[in-house]
Amino acid sequence: SQTIHQWPATLVQPVGSPLSLECTVEGTSNPNLYWYRQAAGRGLQLLFYSIGIDQISSEVPQNLSASRPQDRQFILSSKKLLLSDSGFYLCAWSVLVNTEAFFGQGTRLTVV
Amino acid sequence: GDSVTQMEGPVTLSEEACLTINCTYTATGYPSLFWYVQYPGEGLQLLLKATKADDKGSNKGFEATYRKETTSFHLEKGSVQVSDSAVYFCALIDTGGFKTIFGAGTRLFVKA
């Protein structure tokens, strides 16, 4: 069966520090991969999606970047965090089109 | 573009009360529709889905019917439990698409 791993679960980082969040999917090949952010008390904002290795699309211009160095690995990064980067980050995967996404457990990022 | 609108929360109910969370959508094609649930501190879980008009999705006592004529997908449950307290997200994927578009989420509190 397919599983998705996202880490770390929580992270407290100072302003100006770098960020790297990792997500891996097991049990499937060539998944579509997604990074979402959920600000406190708000809905989900799609940040990046990827339909293949090194194919990254950005939905919202911002202080973050994403990479997909391997088929089932998706990384969210920042060179210098801002206070506004705080939030709950969710990785997700899907296959084909018109199919539901499956989510990881999320990373709670607090920038101080 | 595609969008999902759901009723604002929070919704507070007593145990065994009836639940309805309204959801309407705008899409250019024939979308698949979903309800996701998010328990505190966790990622999203797929609750139910419907892929074509008049389909009814159901799971754990929750139901939603895909109404094309009213572009709606309201979530219902006849008798809620304290354990149903969570945030509920309505979502869609448009025809041939792979990006899930989410509503803002509705927080449900169920009191014993």
Side-chain angles (χ1 to χ4, degrees):
Chain A
S1 65
Q2 301 91 350
T3 56
I4 179 169
H5 302 282
Q6 186 181 343
W7 69 94
T10 60
L11 191 59
V12 179
Q13 292 284 97
V15 169
S17 64
L19 173 73
S20 180
L21 303 181
E22 291 199 35
C23 172
T24 59
V25 179
E26 297 178 356
T28 187
S29 296
N30 197 31
N32 303 316
L33 296 172
Y34 311 86
W35 279 110
Y36 285 87
R37 177 170 60 200
Q38 185 178 23
R42 300 179 64 179
L44 284 86
Q45 179 184 37
L46 179 62
L47 302 176
F48 300 94
Y49 66 92
S50 171
I51 61 173
I53 294 176
D54 294 330
Q55 298 180 61
I56 311 293
S57 296
S58 174
E59 289 290 289
V60 181
Q62 58 208 317
N63 187 41
L64 301 168
S65 62
S67 60
R68 184 172 178 172
Q70 300 179 41
D71 180 44
R72 290 170 290 174
Q73 184 184 26
F74 206 24
I75 298 172
L76 184 69
S77 303
S78 174
K79 293 183 179 178
K80 290 185 178 181
L81 284 168
L82 306 172
L83 287 174
S84 58
D85 292 324
S86 294
F88 193 50
Y89 289 83
L90 290 157
C91 181
W93 69 274
S94 69
V95 294
L96 304 175
V97 295
N98 287 100
T99 59
E100 63 270 27
F102 298 93
F103 284 80
Q105 289 298 294
T107 296
R108 173 77 56 195
L109 171 66
T110 303
V111 183
V112 297
Chain B
D2 297 347
S3 65
V4 176
T5 302
Q6 59 182 106
M7 62 187 291
E8 292 187 18
V11 174
T12 302
L13 296 173
S14 298
E15 206 166 24
E16 298 184 2
C18 295
L19 169 71
T20 299
I21 300 178
N22 292 334
C23 171
T24 57
Y25 67 90
T26 301
T28 54
Y30 300 93
S32 296
L33 302 175
F34 309 89
W35 277 101
Y36 285 83
V37 59
Q38 184 181 32
Y39 298 103
E42 298 185 7
L44 275 69
Q45 303 174 26
L46 179 66
L47 181 59
L48 53 84
K49 67 178 180 181
T51 58
K52 62 182 186 297
D54 299 325
D55 269 1
K56 176 185 284 188
S58 61
N59 186 25
K60 299 181 180 179
F62 291 89
E63 293 183 339
T65 301
Y66 190 140
R67 300 288 189 196
K68 186 172 182 294
E69 63 277 12
T70 56
T71 62
S72 65
F73 193 53
H74 305 321
L75 182 67
E76 299 177 326
K77 188 175 186 183
S79 176
V80 294
Q81 306 299 313
V82 172
S83 58
D84 293 326
S85 297
V87 180
Y88 293 82
F89 292 92
C90 186
L92 69 80
I93 300 177
D94 210 345
T95 310
F98 49 85
K99 292 189 291 183
T100 307
I101 307 300
F102 286 90
T106 302
R107 184 175 295 277
L108 171 66
F109 292 104
V110 181
K111 303 179 298 183

